[in-house]
Amino acid sequence: MLTVEQVSRSFGSVVAVRDVSFSLPTGQTLGLLGPNGAGKTTTMRIVLGIYAPDRGTVRWAGAPIGAATRKRLGYLPEERGLYGRMRVHEQIVYFARLHGVGPADAAASARRWIAQLGIEEYANRPCSELSKGNQQKVQLACAAAHGPELLILDEPFSGLDPVNAQMVLGAIEGLRRTGTTLVLSSHQMWQIENSCDRFCIIADGAVRAAGTLAELRAGVPERVVRVAPNTAPTRAVLDRVGQFDAIIAGELHYRLPADSDFAVLLRDLVAVAPITHFEPIPPSLSAMYLRAIGSAEMEASIP
Amino acid sequence: MNTFALVFGAEFARKIRSRPFLVGTVAGMISIALLVLAPAFFARALRTSSSSIVLAGPPALRARAADLLRGGYDVVAQRDALPMPFTAAQLDGDHKAAAAIVLGAERRRLRIDVYARDLSQVGEGLERTLEPLQLELATGADLAGVARLTNPDLHTHAVDSRFADADAAELAHGIAFALIFVLYLSIIITSQSVMASVAEEKTSRIAEVLVATISPVRLLAGKVTAAGALGLAQITLWGVTGLALAPLGLGGMLDNTRAASPHVPLTLVALPTVGIFLAFFVLGFVQFATLYAAAASLISRTEDLGSVATPVILPVVGAFFLAQYASVAPNAPVSVIASFVPFVSPFVMFTRSTISNVPPLQLALALTINVAAAYACFNLAGKVYRVGLLMYGKLPSLAQVVAAVRS
């Protein structure tokens, strides 16, 4: 279990993170979300022990993050780099060995990752000769080749084309299946919505929302319902219980309180018109993210 | 294998394969070869071009003059008299000699007529060399008698010196200079290597992964040690090249000067010095190299290396010059004080201890101060390195660095 409790960290007069708390059971995946400058990277660095928090604690498997614990962690930073003159296989082996893996195991792991990421033909080439996408694959292999218990991936899809992004997503899914605990950040919500068990949305250095997708949804007071056809009687029924939102592709979109009785609503609609489509839509991760960030901005704008 | 050894091995392997290292090593070897061989080559060229002479005059006078000239001139031919008018073609006929010298004695005075293409090359030196012959003619004493009359009976007695004679003292000065130069060169070469390596990791953003994995202090230690080992390997290679070619170069010089080689066994002077040198080498190297690494960790672009390199390289140059001063005045107050000042001390105290009798207490104090300074530098550099590796953007001011280290 990764436990982050009341963690704060400032740089001079700038408060980077403030009372950040979340927990992540072993083997689960956490999506750390937030706009640029929200404090995601600082939070990740604190979890990794790169920064010491001013206040609060970070524990992995019940123990504070120390030199021994760090060997069991893996990290793919947002800004990535490789030793240009070092060969691909050699580079992966080097990083695995820095984490305490023996020479033979490190070499075997490097071979496995090279095969999994489809870069066999580059295994003995200097990294500087690889394309950006392939370099990013090597970096992922460097972060994961030692078999970390907890792997932290900061924007793992940034700069990747759709094919390579899919391949990296496949590798992440593979790590999930083997029980690796993952913390990953991304701006591409659609890519991580189905890959994460839990989410933590950070803005202005503070946690705005945290929990499973269901828990996050439970915190949203509205639902959107899509109804077709767009007729006057239909609108009249909907206007009584909700607020008009939009008409998209001929379908009415209305916002209703989350605790609305949708079965009763459907019965009332059917009673006034022949309904061809009725669909209450659960809020997407993107919508919940924007809502959390938006409320933060609104709060910040109040003098 | 621990992380220090891993970083050391990887750093060493990466650097030794790098083009700048290979080119620098080969270029250095070629330069050393040229430095060793060129003087001998030029000495030979000078000997054949400016020191070869034709000697003419009465046989008895010629024979005694030839003895006196043997040290600095090559008498390629002797004649009773020169054909007149004398021309350059006749010099060419006598092994392309530089000059012809005609000796004569008139009323107990030596007369010397010089015929040369370039009179600036033969003249005052010749007059001084043949001075004993003039005295012989004037006094009637033989050359040995003249030597007794003109040379005082000099006896030297070393007081408060670790050397039995002038040759040993001179050799010690040479060794001190050579080893201080090795230290200077190691630090200058290594500084470039350490800074380039840190800058590469910082600018290519590998640093963040590294500090997330291992202690920055171990990373720093592995890096500095690898750079030091490479620098030493490079200098050793250059030294071996120089020593291997020295007989060729020195042989040429000795042929020219006909000087006797020093009779002092090198090991007797060098052995006690080696231990002290190694201690000061390691301590001085750690002080400078760790600061170079810390300075390089502050930059975000390799173009900024120059702006952080200059302030930390200047003290090395200053220390080298202070060591030169100490070699002339080892017990002057400036030399004694500088022996205890970190960064400068390894240069100055080593020089003083090699060429003079430094009290053991002073030596122990200097070593203690340097151990403390190296430890402090390493810790300070480790802290700057840790925060510097994660600082990006404009080059931070000293105040910002201090604030970051404190936080």
Side-chain angles (χ1 to χ4, degrees):
Chain A
M1 167 87 87
L2 171 67
T3 313
V4 177
E5 281 180 343
Q6 300 292 306
V7 163
S8 298
R9 170 77 200 212
S10 300
F11 297 97
S13 58
V14 179
V15 180
V17 290
R18 190 182 333 126
D19 294 328
V20 167
S21 297
F22 60 84
S23 61
L24 179 64
T26 304
Q28 290 199 4
T29 300
L30 173 81
L32 197 56
L33 311 175
N36 292 330
K40 301 190 298 292
T41 299
T42 302
T43 303
M44 288 178 163
R45 285 176 176 175
I46 290 171
V47 170
L48 287 157
I50 296 174
Y51 290 151
D54 297 334
R55 286 195 312 276
T57 56
V58 177
R59 289 179 175 273
W60 171 248
I65 305 291
T69 320
R70 286 161 69 175
K71 299 268 184 205
R72 290 144 52 197
L73 311 183
Y75 181 40
L76 178 73
E78 181 181 6
E79 298 280 359
R80 293 156 214 159
L82 295 165
Y83 291 107
R85 285 190 292 271
M86 208 183 261
R87 296 170 199 284
V88 169
H89 182 268
E90 187 185 3
Q91 186 127 217
I92 300 170
V93 168
Y94 176 58
F95 278 101
R97 297 212 59 207
L98 280 180
H99 285 88
V101 180
D105 290 342
S109 178
R111 280 194 298 274
R112 271 198 310 276
W113 273 97
I114 285 170
Q116 184 180 347
L117 294 169
I119 47 175
E120 294 99 322
E121 62 183 298
Y122 306 112
N124 290 312
R125 286 217 199 147
C127 289
S128 57
E129 292 181 10
L130 271 60
S131 67
K132 191 181 173 193
N134 282 330
Q135 285 191 10
Q136 286 188 279
K137 290 181 193 172
V138 175
Q139 282 152 359
L140 177 64
C142 288
H146 59 287
E149 295 171 6
L150 170 64
L151 179 59
I152 295 179
L153 308 167
D154 198 354
E155 300 291 345
F157 309 108
S158 76
L160 291 177
D161 62 46
V163 175
N164 282 319
Q166 198 56 42
M167 187 169 277
V168 168
L169 193 60
I172 290 172
E173 288 298 333
L175 287 165
R176 289 186 73 195
R177 281 195 296 276
T178 57
T180 306
T181 307
L182 294 164
V183 175
L184 58 95
S185 70
S186 178
H187 292 299
Q188 285 136 316
M189 309 288 165
W190 61 271
Q191 268 178 321
I192 63 166
E193 183 162 354
N194 296 321
S195 300
C196 295
D197 303 296
R198 308 178 71 81
F199 299 89
C200 178
I201 301 173
I202 297 182
D204 295 331
V207 175
R208 295 292 168 186
T212 62
L213 206 53
E215 286 166 349
L216 290 179
R217 279 177 179 150
V220 178
E222 290 180 338
R223 292 287 182 275
V224 172
V225 64
R226 287 165 54 189
V227 178
N230 172 14
T231 60
T234 313
R235 285 202 302 274
V237 171
L238 288 168
D239 283 339
R240 282 205 303 274
V241 293
Q243 187 182 359
F244 173 75
D245 189 37
I247 298 174
I248 300 171
E251 293 178 337
L252 289 165
H253 286 230
Y254 268 76
R255 294 184 177 280
L256 275 72
D259 56 357
S260 300
D261 190 334
F262 289 97
V264 172
L265 176 61
L266 177 60
R267 191 188 62 205
D268 293 347
L269 287 167
V270 169
V272 297
I275 297 301
T276 57
H277 189 94
F278 180 87
E279 182 186 4
I281 306 170
S284 67
L285 183 60
S286 295
M288 290 185 287
Y289 169 83
L290 288 173
R291 180 184 178 80
I293 302 309
S295 62
E297 284 169 356
M298 281 170 62
E299 282 174 19
S301 69
I302 297 169
Chain B
M1 187 183 282
N2 65 33
T3 47
F4 166 77
L6 268 172
V7 172
F8 175 88
E11 190 74 12
F12 195 90
R14 272 193 315 120
K15 287 283 170 193
I16 209 164
R17 287 194 308 229
S18 71
R19 191 169 294 170
F21 179 80
L22 294 173
V23 170
T25 305
V26 173
M29 288 169 75
I30 293 170
S31 304
I32 296 281
L34 287 174
L35 278 173
V36 171
L37 296 176
F41 172 78
F42 286 118
R44 281 196 198 95
L46 280 173
R47 186 174 67 226
T48 52
S49 65
S50 67
S51 304
S52 57
I53 56 171
V54 175
L55 201 56
L61 207 55
R62 257 178 18 224
R64 292 201 298 282
D67 281 344
L68 291 169
L69 292 166
R70 189 166 291 134
Y73 296 88
D74 192 4
V75 179
V76 294
Q78 293 197 28
R79 307 256 186 282
D80 288 338
L82 293 183
M84 291 296 164
F86 193 73
T87 63
Q90 288 162 304
L91 284 176
D92 289 341
D94 278 325
H95 309 283
K96 296 192 173 179
I101 292 160
V102 183
L103 303 171
E106 292 172 2
R107 289 197 297 266
R108 306 177 86 181
R109 185 151 189 222
L110 181 67
R111 177 186 167 124
I112 309 167
D113 290 288
V114 178
Y115 300 88
R117 288 189 186 88
D118 182 357
L119 288 170
S120 69
Q121 301 216 353
V122 195
E124 199 180 330
L126 183 75
E127 195 181 345
R128 202 172 301 125
T129 309
L130 294 175
E131 217 169 56
L133 193 55
Q134 164 63 39
L135 287 169
E136 187 193 45
L137 286 172
T139 62
D142 60 7
L143 281 177
V146 169
R148 276 199 303 277
L149 287 171
T150 54
N151 296 328
D153 191 10
L154 176 68
H155 296 272
T156 55
H157 305 277
V159 176
D160 191 28
S161 169
R162 52 188 293 193
F163 306 108
D165 55 40
D167 280 348
E170 203 173 310
L171 190 58
H173 273 84
I175 287 171
F177 177 79
L179 292 180
I180 283 298
F181 191 67
V182 166
L183 175 58
Y184 172 77
L185 209 59
S186 297
I187 290 174
I188 292 289
I189 290 172
T190 306
S191 68
Q192 308 299 324
S193 173
V194 167
M195 291 180 110
S197 170
V198 173
E200 182 198 0
E201 284 177 354
K202 172 88 183 282
T203 54
S204 69
R205 310 277 179 155
I206 306 166
E208 194 172 343
V209 181
L210 292 172
V211 296
T213 310
I214 60 171
S215 146
V217 173
R218 284 197 176 195
L219 182 62
L220 180 67
K223 237 173 204 335
V224 167
T225 314
L230 269 173
L232 263 186
Q234 199 171 42
I235 286 167
T236 305
L237 210 55
W238 292 343
V240 168
T241 306
L243 286 174
L245 295 173
L248 296 173
L250 198 60
M253 297 287 280
L254 292 177
D255 283 352
N256 184 43
T257 59
R258 299 184 195 289
S261 58
H263 296 294
V264 185
L266 191 64
T267 48
L268 284 182
V269 182
L271 279 180
T273 306
V274 169
I276 299 172
F277 173 72
L278 286 177
F280 279 115
F281 180 92
V282 171
L283 294 170
F285 180 80
V286 169
Q287 289 174 51
F288 281 106
T290 51
L291 286 190
Y292 291 142
S297 73
L298 298 174
I299 63 143
S300 298
R301 304 175 308 153
T302 45
E303 296 92 315
D304 292 336
L305 259 184
S307 56
V308 294
T310 310
V312 286
I313 282 178
L314 281 178
V316 192
V317 179
F320 183 70
F321 282 114
L322 266 174
Q324 301 315 303
Y325 174 76
S327 73
V328 179
N331 295 314
V334 171
S335 303
V336 175
I337 291 168
S339 304
F340 305 111
V341 177
F343 297 104
V344 176
S345 170
F347 288 83
V348 177
M349 184 49 105
F350 171 71
T351 304
R352 287 184 62 218
S353 70
T354 306
I355 63 167
S356 68
N357 270 333
V358 173
L361 196 63
Q362 280 192 24
L363 195 61
L365 181 61
L367 283 168
T368 308
I369 288 172
N370 277 286
V371 168
Y375 180 76
C377 282
F378 195 77
N379 275 309
L380 176 68
K383 285 177 181 170
V384 174
Y385 190 68
R386 175 187 266 276
V387 296
L389 284 178
L390 300 171
M391 288 172 91
Y392 286 96
K394 199 176 147 195
L395 194 63
S397 65
L398 189 62
Q400 286 171 315
V401 174
V402 171
V405 168
R406 278 186 176 165
S407 74

